[in-house]
Amino acid sequence: MTQLWPGRDFPLGATFDGYGTNFAVFSEIARRVDLSIFHARGREERLTLPEVTGSVWHGYAPDVGPGVRYGFRVHGPYEPAKGLRCNHHKLLLDPYAKAVIGDLTWDEAVFGYRFGDADGAMNTRNSARFVPRSVVTQPYFEWGNDRPPRTPWNKTVIYEAHVKGLTMRHPAVPEHERGTYSGLAHPAVIEHLVDLGVTAVELMPVHRFVSEHHLVEQGLTNYWGYNSIAYLAPHDAYASVPGERVVPEFKRMVRTLHEAGIEVILDVVYNHTAEGNHLGPTLNLKGFDNPAYYRLVDDDPRYYMDYTGTGNSMNMRHPHVLQLIMDSLRYWVTEMHVDGFRFDLAAALARELHDVDRLSTFFEVIQQDPVISQTKLIAEPWDIGEGGYQVGNFPPLWSEWNGRYRDTVRDFWRGADAALPEFASRFTGSSDLYQSDRRRPSASINFVTAHDGFTLRDLVSYNDKHNEANLEDNRDGTDDNRSWNCGIEGETDDPDILALRARQQRNLLVTLFLSQGVPMLVAGDELGRSQGGNNNAYSQDNELSWIDWEAADTDLHQFTRELIALRRQHPVFRRRRFFEGQAPRGERFVDIAWLTPEGELMSDEHWESGFVKSLQIFLNGDGLASRDDRGQLVSDRSFLLLLNAHHEPLTFRCPSEGPSGPWRVVLDTTEPVFRGESEREELHHGGAREVAANSIVVLREASS
């Protein structure tokens, strides 16, 4: 029989100290908490935690070590009408579990109430056979000389990737490592990332998650992972060996990426959990202390506030919820060595009452934390609640997914009217959104595509979504795609359409990587990956979502690689500060100038004309107004960008006054590859150059 001593109330979770394991869990409403230890063949041993200190129940098991499976049972009030849902018949995951093993089986036993009972009477069936187990982990790991790359924001290039989808079809990755953390760390994958020039991988959710009941019933899964159930545990399905060994495998992945100079950013989902609404299962937080962990409806606490569209919202007003989130974040930084976080539906985290509050407690605790405040912090600045769209409204430490950038760039290149002034603001780093509180261009995470929506190839191939595979009659996913199929919906062998689509992909990529701010590229976009027009492939854990490396568009890959290198080589495209001239409507050539195709400064009439879809942008390499780490003024070559979003070719003329040039062509998006040095054209004052329909020409000032 396992011994259980009083133990300590800190830290929370299961902590192995080399001799035994301390267990500590929070519940204000529990009358008793049992620790369940699982022995060989699943035999369960239940022990009552002997002490409670400040609503933390704790005990120390001297003979329990790494690899032991465990869970908890909470004895307390079951009164759904009052928001109280304790049910000791349900085995609960440790909210602080560092490893989780086993699948969730959607049996009635995992629900706290009896099906078909109008009053929600307690379900007394034991859920242990149907739910995952928490696992005690070994904290020691040999990190060696691991150091975080700490890439400055203005040099950061983010690569949004799915752990499984990135490597599941990679021919160089051994079959047993495909779709795993080890697969992501394989030399062939690292070589691709380094060669491409990305500096950070932003991993879609790796916190332990489960698939929703309705998906499982349909034979689908939650592929994306935005359905977390354990905030300190890496998702074990991405491990080449399941169980507690998932933790060292994840650490080895991080260490390998760091050795290659690549940061690791996690997409985290603290706004809700997989327990859903009042009809959802009882898996952990709901059974420990439902009213503490979740936002309940004030006048009827049977029900949950839902700002996320998933059934529940975490109660950010409760100190133990904030503690859970902060402890999780610190664990991933201090123990797992990750470099930053992208917060899913971050506006929901800032709702203290009902409105989004940029001065909320959540932001305050992040601001003062000496560990988390020093990492890269990225907000998805919206949720589905009223007033939830908060682009530009997060505090100074934060960068944000700039949804306005995505929409504007898509509109410009599909030829939408009245896009030019908005395009100028987004291209220059969105100072209208971020400069007022002294943030810098790096506050804007620029993206044209993301996991949610069309891939880059599909963006230029489909006008409408085609989500039939999701089995929701094509009702799911947004209808606001701002896409253009270039004349034919879907796949085609028409050479003119294919050439236009290829050019449009290059236009979007050039705009993305030459804009001020931090560019984010979705894994596979550089390879021409398609999802067949599915813009919501969250449930498609199959070849529709996985990258097909052997079908890669090699020209597009090479173009993207050289484009990222161009950005890396020239600080004029990654300024530390916003432009200081009269941008975006400058009257003289200071640090930026906006010109007509004829080479004249743009007038108000040009800006206000909705049909204008072509312009020149002059970027002054001597106008960076920033210094390097040693205080030396940074300078660069100047560039002239010729953008033609019209469907007809136009003749552009280099300005006859101001920047002298001469100018040499660096790239032309009508061509699938960058030009060699010996082939570059040279243009002088007033020189003319035809720019094809729907294309960009980039000119660089010739060196003296």
Side-chain angles (χ1 to χ4, degrees):
M1 180 175 178
T2 303
Q3 298 182 67
L4 202 57
W5 301 344
R8 303 180 306 277
D9 62 333
F10 183 85
L12 291 169
T15 307
F16 176 66
D17 61 9
Y19 298 96
T21 300
N22 191 80
F23 296 91
V25 291
F26 160 77
S27 177
E28 289 178 320
I29 61 175
R31 291 191 288 265
R32 182 178 114 202
V33 176
D34 291 341
L35 169 67
S36 290
I37 300 289
F38 290 89
H39 299 281
R41 299 181 181 177
R43 181 176 66 85
E44 179 182 358
E45 180 184 6
R46 301 187 191 182
L47 306 102
T48 298
L49 292 178
E51 293 286 345
V52 57
T53 304
S55 297
V56 174
W57 302 77
H58 52 92
Y60 181 86
D63 299 320
V64 169
V68 170
R69 276 67 166 159
Y70 71 98
F72 295 98
R73 296 180 182 275
V74 175
H75 300 255
Y78 179 82
E79 301 178 61
K82 297 181 180 179
L84 306 173
R85 296 181 179 272
C86 296
N87 185 339
H88 65 275
H89 303 286
K90 309 306 164 190
L91 182 72
L92 305 179
L93 279 173
D94 182 357
Y96 280 73
K98 298 180 180 68
V100 174
I101 190 169
D103 296 323
L104 172 65
T105 300
W106 284 101
D107 186 89
E108 184 178 347
V110 306
F111 295 85
Y113 61 93
R114 289 207 302 262
F115 286 3
D117 191 302
D119 296 324
M122 178 184 283
N123 183 334
T124 59
R125 289 185 58 197
N126 185 357
S127 68
R129 290 172 47 209
F130 307 102
V131 295
R133 308 276 193 267
S134 308
V135 185
V136 179
T137 60
Q138 167 63 262
Y140 178 77
F141 180 77
E142 180 53 65
W143 281 104
N145 295 321
D146 182 69
R147 295 288 184 274
R150 296 197 181 281
T151 306
W153 267 121
N154 71 312
K155 296 182 180 180
T156 297
V157 175
I158 298 173
Y159 190 74
E160 189 195 28
H162 188 285
V163 171
K164 186 173 184 178
L166 183 63
T167 64
M168 200 61 190
R169 303 181 71 184
H170 199 300
V173 176
E175 189 170 348
H176 72 281
E177 290 185 350
R178 292 178 184 174
T180 70
Y181 303 117
S182 294
L184 199 154
H186 188 274
V189 178
I190 298 295
E191 181 183 5
H192 175 79
L193 298 174
V194 172
D195 181 67
L196 188 60
V198 300
T199 69
V201 290
E202 181 177 302
L203 299 180
M204 291 175 65
V206 297
H207 289 167
R208 183 50 154 83
F209 61 88
V210 298
S211 293
E212 294 88 335
H213 189 196
H214 74 275
L215 291 179
V216 175
E217 286 185 316
Q218 293 175 308
L220 302 172
T221 61
N222 188 322
Y223 171 67
W224 285 354
Y226 293 91
N227 205 37
S228 302
I229 201 62
Y231 289 134
L232 283 79
H235 191 61
D236 58 315
Y238 299 155
S240 56
V241 179
E244 68 276 9
R245 294 175 66 180
V246 64
V247 176
E249 182 173 342
F250 184 93
K251 291 178 177 178
R252 284 192 297 272
M253 177 196 71
V254 173
R255 185 179 62 192
T256 303
L257 287 164
H258 282 179
E259 289 170 352
I262 298 172
E263 295 180 303
V264 179
I265 298 171
L266 301 187
D267 192 339
V268 291
V269 189
Y270 294 117
N271 53 74
H272 75 281
T273 77
E275 290 189 294
N277 62 16
H278 62 289
L279 298 177
T282 298
L283 303 175
N284 63 353
L285 305 182
K286 188 181 287 187
F288 275 104
D289 198 325
N290 189 57
Y293 282 111
Y294 294 117
R295 291 287 301 272
L296 306 180
V297 175
D298 291 337
D299 55 0
D300 194 347
R302 286 178 299 176
Y303 303 110
Y304 295 77
M305 299 295 295
D306 183 10
Y307 299 113
T308 63
T310 58
N312 64 52
S313 300
M314 293 287 279
N315 182 11
M316 302 304 296
R317 298 177 295 182
H318 197 285
H320 275 278
V321 175
L322 289 170
Q323 181 184 1
L324 171 60
I325 293 173
M326 293 303 295
D327 286 348
S328 168
L329 292 170
R330 282 192 217 96
Y331 174 79
W332 286 99
V333 175
T334 60
E335 297 296 325
M336 308 294 259
H337 287 206
V338 305
D339 304 283
F341 305 92
R342 179 264 189 190
F343 292 79
D344 178 66
L345 300 181
L349 302 174
R351 291 184 183 270
E352 293 222 332
L353 294 175
H354 298 285
D355 295 331
V356 178
D357 182 1
R358 74 192 304 269
L359 301 178
S360 70
T361 304
F362 172 70
F363 292 132
E364 290 175 353
V365 297
I366 293 284
Q367 177 80 30
Q368 60 78 41
D369 189 274
V371 174
I372 308 308
S373 64
Q374 301 306 304
T375 65
K376 284 184 164 71
L377 301 171
I378 304 170
E380 183 185 31
W382 50 76
D383 63 22
I384 69 165
E386 183 178 354
Y389 191 78
Q390 294 290 320
V391 174
N393 289 332
F394 277 67
L397 271 182
W398 292 72
S399 295
E400 304 175 16
W401 270 27
N402 191 342
R404 288 180 62 177
Y405 179 94
R406 171 200 60 206
D407 295 345
T408 300
V409 171
R410 289 184 179 191
D411 279 347
F412 181 80
W413 284 112
R414 71 189 177 107
D417 287 343
L420 195 54
E422 180 80 2
F423 177 86
S425 295
R426 302 307 140 235
F427 183 83
T428 55
S430 298
S431 60
D432 57 326
L433 299 177
Y434 304 116
Q435 192 172 26
S436 63
D437 56 6
R438 299 185 178 179
R439 285 198 275 178
R440 297 190 176 186
S442 58
S444 179
I445 305 297
N446 298 332
F447 64 104
V448 176
T449 60
H451 68 271
D452 187 1
F454 282 147
T455 67
L456 182 64
R457 179 178 166 186
D458 288 355
L459 187 66
V460 301
S461 304
Y462 295 90
N463 283 350
D464 302 304
K465 65 187 181 184
H466 296 269
N467 298 356
E468 289 79 10
N470 299 349
L471 305 181
E472 297 181 40
D473 297 323
N474 207 34
R475 294 190 304 269
D476 63 302
T478 183
D479 293 313
D480 184 22
N481 295 296
R482 305 186 188 220
S483 58
W484 177 39
N485 65 16
C486 298
I488 295 176
E489 185 75 358
E491 294 299 314
T492 181
D493 56 6
D494 185 311
D496 293 333
I497 297 293
L498 292 175
L500 176 56
R501 288 177 178 178
R503 192 159 72 248
Q504 284 288 82
Q505 289 183 81
R506 293 191 288 270
N507 291 336
L508 291 162
L509 288 171
V510 170
T511 305
L512 173 65
F513 284 106
L514 302 191
S515 294
Q516 305 301 320
V518 179
M520 184 184 78
L521 179 71
V522 178
D525 274 358
E526 78 279 16
L527 305 173
R529 185 176 76 90
S530 173
Q531 292 179 166
N534 192 320
N535 73 353
N536 189 36
Y538 78 104
S539 59
Q540 300 301 315
D541 186 3
N542 51 50
E543 293 185 354
L544 184 72
S545 294
W546 305 337
I547 295 175
D548 184 354
W549 291 86
E550 295 185 325
D553 182 335
T554 55
D555 284 344
L556 184 61
H557 174 218
Q558 181 68 10
F559 184 89
T560 308
R561 173 183 173 275
E562 293 181 340
L563 181 59
I564 294 174
L566 180 69
R567 177 186 177 86
R568 181 173 61 250
Q569 294 160 5
H570 292 285
V572 73
F573 299 123
R574 45 180 179 80
R575 295 169 56 96
R576 292 185 177 183
R577 300 180 184 278
F578 289 108
F579 291 100
E580 296 177 353
Q582 301 299 314
R585 304 188 186 189
E587 297 179 359
R588 51 196 181 87
F589 297 109
V590 187
D591 45 15
I592 187 171
W594 304 84
L595 306 115
T596 67
E598 294 76 23
E600 302 296 329
L601 287 170
M602 290 183 65
S603 66
D604 286 346
E605 182 179 354
H606 289 108
W607 286 106
E608 293 164 3
S609 177
F611 59 83
V612 173
K613 300 176 181 65
S614 59
L615 74 157
Q616 299 187 54
I617 308 173
F618 167 68
L619 300 174
N620 190 340
D622 291 324
L624 296 181
S626 63
R627 298 180 183 274
D628 61 20
D629 293 339
R630 296 188 177 185
Q632 300 298 311
L633 196 63
V634 177
S635 64
D636 193 9
R637 309 262 286 280
S638 295
F639 281 79
L640 195 62
L641 280 58
L642 317 181
L643 285 71
N644 181 16
H646 285 283
H647 298 327
E648 300 292 336
L650 287 176
T651 297
F652 281 68
R653 192 171 297 278
C654 291
S656 56
E657 297 180 2
S660 59
W663 303 98
R664 289 181 179 167
V665 175
V666 175
L667 69 89
D668 183 334
T669 59
T670 62
E671 301 170 358
V673 294
F674 275 48
R675 296 183 172 201
E677 185 72 35
S678 62
E679 300 175 288
R680 288 181 180 147
E681 308 169 40
E682 188 166 281
L683 283 78
H684 296 266
H685 263 176
R689 212 274 190 187
E690 183 174 272
V691 177
N694 306 105
S695 70
I696 303 174
V697 173
V698 176
L699 304 159
R700 180 168 56 199
E701 183 182 29
S703 58
S704 56

